[in-house]
Amino acid sequence: MAQRLDGRRAAERVQEALRRRVDQLVSRGIVPKLVMLVSEADEISLGHVRRKARFARGAGLVAEIRTFRPSEGPGALRSAIGRLNEDDEVDAILVQLPLPAGWDEGDMLSHLRPDKDVDGLHPQNLGRIAFGRPRVWPCTARGIGELLELHEIGVRGKVACVIGRSPLVGWPIAQWFMAHGATVIQCHRQTPSIATWTKQADIVVSAAGAPGLVGAEEVRPGAVVIDVGITYTEDGPRGDVDPGAAARASWITPVPGGVGPMTVAMVAQNAVDLCAMRRGG
Amino acid sequence: MAQRLDGRRAAERVQEALRRRVDQLVSRGIVPKLVMLVSEADEISLGHVRRKARFARGAGLVAEIRTFRPSEGPGALRSAIGRLNEDDEVDAILVQLPLPAGWDEGDMLSHLRPDKDVDGLHPQNLGRIAFGRPRVWPCTARGIGELLELHEIGVRGKVACVIGRSPLVGWPIAQWFMAHGATVIQCHRQTPSIATWTKQADIVVSAAGAPGLVGAEEVRPGAVVIDVGITYTEDGPRGDVDPGAAARASWITPVPGGVGPMTVAMVAQNAVDLCAMRRGG
């Protein structure tokens, strides 16, 4: 029976370590500040940024939430980003996705100052990944990395099957595994038989948002299973992986309580890293 | 026995089509101009840029080679890039790699104006790949794509095993296949058994620069084999794939005369595309 990769407990450990770093910065007069921009009309997104703010404040950062009205159009959000780019006290800016329907997310993210881009999603930051030296890894990828590291699960030389290739989640995760020495099989909607590949992987990462996509028998005995998907069904939140896979896996993330809390934690950790880089901490 | 994916002949067809596009631009007073920067001390690189210039001129572009002295340091090259960025008549700039030992290539490429970056290697352009909309694909990736397309070899739903993950070659190739609907297995130096994966692939792309890396029996019957590697040995140039693989493959690129000429051709094609985008052609 697999051991749980408990994201909540890991996030608490991250928060403690972070608090010590923030204390040191504050003692030198540097107060790391994170500002998050979110649509006032998107309840789910508001919930996400509140969790991110709560975690960041718990680690000693200043964390602000600023809402925008979709009716004011993308120009107003671009202006808000521009002001935060210029504000020397702001270390980290997060634009909570998804943006209102029809808005161009890639374009919006390209207006962030790359050295304040806490999610690491500015095109230039994504590009740095190809050269193996991002400023900060996108939060989900980094969260998975920290979760593995805290449990001393190595990646180098392993085979990682990553399902999903969204620019925000699946793509950076695949890049993270590659940069850390794994052979990566990247599957997606056009992959005829995903199970062919999950069965051969030491580490299965599913970021498709499709409940039950990976069957209990479709991971190999001893595999590490990271379930990034979370879908809200009538029976509550469900991951991509059949929970029965726990019978074969060596490690598995619960849903919820696995990757989610670590993603939240990495927003604060990235913000502190960006603060230290920009202000010489 | 495999059919040859003849890059020389395909490049000729590209050149003809390109010449017609350039003629149209010229008739409107727009002359596409490509400038290539290369170390005067690097004979192999000089050979590459001369081939690129010859092809581009054959398609009707203005193509200039400007050499720099390594002894003048990276600052002089950065200044040269800056002047070309500002020069409205220059549509496309190529910095021939590798740079002199110890120079930071990623940093140098980041000084290019992204909309004149003919190799598509500016960090911002690499980042756009993650969002599935590069201005232009890096030349090797695009060259392979055109070669497949000219031979009506589809990619969507296929399994592509890409060996190598260099930011200039292996990485963009893997991204190209992913963007075109292939399931990608990306192997590299830390992959314990590359043959495990090449044997399962519909398309094998090797960009490792290691002669004989892929054995004749290590591709599956009917596979498409793209050999990007080229190593100059005492017995002449050799690819990564044992030529005996032609007995099993359905299609195979010769080395030399496969991917190389198409990479050269794509410099001119990307330059014309950038010209048309920037000057409204």
Side-chain angles (χ1 to χ4, degrees):
Chain A
M1 195 68 185
Q3 297 184 72
R4 278 161 56 96
L5 284 163
D6 186 333
R8 289 202 183 104
R9 212 164 55 186
E12 281 169 20
R13 286 172 61 183
V14 168
Q15 199 180 40
E16 280 165 34
L18 211 47
R19 203 180 296 123
R20 287 191 291 274
R21 282 182 66 201
V22 172
D23 284 349
Q24 286 181 344
L25 286 164
V26 170
S27 72
R28 295 173 42 216
I30 299 171
V31 184
K33 181 170 176 177
L34 163 69
V35 179
M36 292 179 280
L37 297 161
V38 61
S39 163
E40 64 171 20
D42 184 338
E43 279 304 326
I44 292 174
S45 286
L46 282 164
H48 288 322
V49 296
R50 283 183 196 124
R51 274 189 293 280
K52 292 170 184 176
R54 197 178 312 130
F55 183 94
R57 287 173 193 143
L61 289 82
V62 173
E64 289 182 9
I65 296 170
R66 302 205 189 151
T67 58
F68 62 85
R69 287 204 186 90
S71 61
E72 288 178 355
L77 180 55
R78 275 197 296 271
S79 302
I81 290 171
R83 286 189 297 273
L84 295 170
N85 284 344
E86 296 304 312
D87 184 342
D88 195 55
E89 289 188 359
V90 173
D91 297 293
I93 310 168
L94 184 146
V95 178
Q96 181 67 40
L97 302 179
L99 293 179
W103 293 24
D104 184 333
E105 294 184 344
D107 176 73
M108 190 61 73
L109 294 168
S110 75
H111 289 89
L112 290 166
R113 237 178 87 155
D115 62 352
K116 293 187 176 187
D117 167 25
V118 74
D119 265 335
L121 296 175
H122 183 283
Q124 197 181 96
N125 286 330
L126 292 173
R128 291 173 66 119
I129 290 174
F131 283 91
R133 51 174 184 201
R135 274 187 193 86
V136 290
W137 283 97
C139 295
T140 307
R142 188 174 188 184
I144 292 169
E146 296 270 331
L147 196 55
L148 294 173
E149 201 172 292
L150 284 168
H151 293 85
E152 295 176 355
I153 299 168
V155 162
R156 180 174 299 253
K158 300 289 179 61
V159 176
C161 176
V162 178
I163 306 165
R165 59 175 166 180
S166 72
L168 314 182
V169 183
W171 187 87
I173 291 170
Q175 300 303 313
W176 186 91
F177 276 95
M178 189 112 61
H180 290 80
T183 299
V184 172
I185 306 175
Q186 193 157 11
C187 299
H188 46 77
R189 239 176 229 109
Q190 283 147 345
T191 302
S193 164
I194 290 175
T196 304
W197 309 108
T198 56
K199 285 177 181 169
Q200 298 183 70
D202 301 305
I203 303 167
V204 174
V205 185
S206 188
L213 180 70
V214 179
E217 310 295 311
E218 293 172 6
V219 303
R220 87 183 193 194
V224 176
V225 178
I226 312 281
D227 195 344
V228 187
I230 185 159
T231 308
Y232 298 91
T233 70
E234 287 186 358
D235 307 323
R238 284 192 59 196
D240 290 351
V241 183
D242 184 325
R248 294 164 72 94
S250 60
W251 292 94
I252 194 165
T253 55
V255 176
V259 175
M262 287 303 281
T263 301
V264 167
M266 290 307 116
V267 176
Q269 182 150 309
N270 278 355
V272 173
D273 283 356
L274 292 178
C275 171
M277 283 180 225
R278 193 175 63 90
R279 300 210 242 177
Chain B
M1 196 69 183
Q3 297 184 73
R4 278 162 56 96
L5 284 164
D6 186 332
R8 289 204 184 103
R9 213 167 52 188
E12 281 170 21
R13 287 172 60 184
V14 169
Q15 198 179 41
E16 281 164 34
L18 210 48
R19 203 180 296 123
R20 287 191 292 274
R21 282 182 66 201
V22 172
D23 284 347
Q24 286 183 343
L25 286 164
V26 170
S27 72
R28 295 174 40 215
I30 299 171
V31 184
K33 181 170 176 177
L34 164 69
V35 179
M36 292 179 280
L37 299 160
V38 60
S39 163
E40 63 170 21
D42 184 339
E43 278 305 325
I44 292 175
S45 287
L46 283 164
H48 289 321
V49 296
R50 282 184 198 124
R51 274 188 293 279
K52 291 170 184 176
R54 198 179 312 130
F55 183 95
R57 287 173 193 144
L61 290 83
V62 174
E64 289 182 9
I65 295 171
R66 302 205 188 152
T67 58
F68 62 85
R69 286 204 186 92
S71 61
E72 289 179 351
L77 179 55
R78 274 197 296 271
S79 302
I81 291 172
R83 285 189 299 274
L84 296 170
N85 285 343
E86 295 305 311
D87 184 343
D88 195 54
E89 288 188 358
V90 174
D91 297 293
I93 310 167
L94 184 146
V95 178
Q96 180 67 40
L97 303 178
L99 294 178
W103 292 23
D104 184 333
E105 294 183 345
D107 175 73
M108 190 60 74
L109 294 168
S110 75
H111 288 88
L112 290 166
R113 238 179 86 155
D115 62 352
K116 294 187 177 187
D117 168 25
V118 74
D119 265 336
L121 295 176
H122 183 282
Q124 200 181 94
N125 286 331
L126 292 173
R128 291 173 66 118
I129 290 174
F131 283 90
R133 51 174 183 202
R135 274 187 194 84
V136 291
W137 282 97
C139 296
T140 307
R142 188 172 188 185
I144 292 169
E146 296 271 330
L147 196 55
L148 293 172
E149 200 170 292
L150 284 168
H151 294 84
E152 295 175 357
I153 299 167
V155 163
R156 179 173 300 254
K158 300 288 179 62
V159 175
C161 176
V162 178
I163 306 167
R165 57 173 167 182
S166 73
L168 314 183
V169 184
W171 185 87
I173 291 170
Q175 299 303 313
W176 185 92
F177 276 96
M178 190 114 60
H180 290 80
T183 299
V184 173
I185 307 175
Q186 193 158 11
C187 299
H188 47 75
R189 240 176 227 106
Q190 283 148 346
T191 301
S193 164
I194 290 174
T196 303
W197 309 108
T198 56
K199 284 178 183 170
Q200 298 184 70
D202 302 304
I203 303 167
V204 173
V205 186
S206 188
L213 180 70
V214 179
E217 309 294 309
E218 292 172 7
V219 303
R220 87 182 192 195
V224 176
V225 177
I226 312 280
D227 196 345
V228 187
I230 185 158
T231 308
Y232 297 91
T233 71
E234 287 185 359
D235 305 324
R238 284 192 59 196
D240 290 351
V241 182
D242 184 326
R248 296 164 72 95
S250 60
W251 291 94
I252 194 165
T253 55
V255 176
V259 176
M262 286 302 281
T263 301
V264 167
M266 290 307 116
V267 175
Q269 182 151 311
N270 278 354
V272 173
D273 283 355
L274 292 178
C275 171
M277 284 180 223
R278 194 174 64 90
R279 301 209 240 177

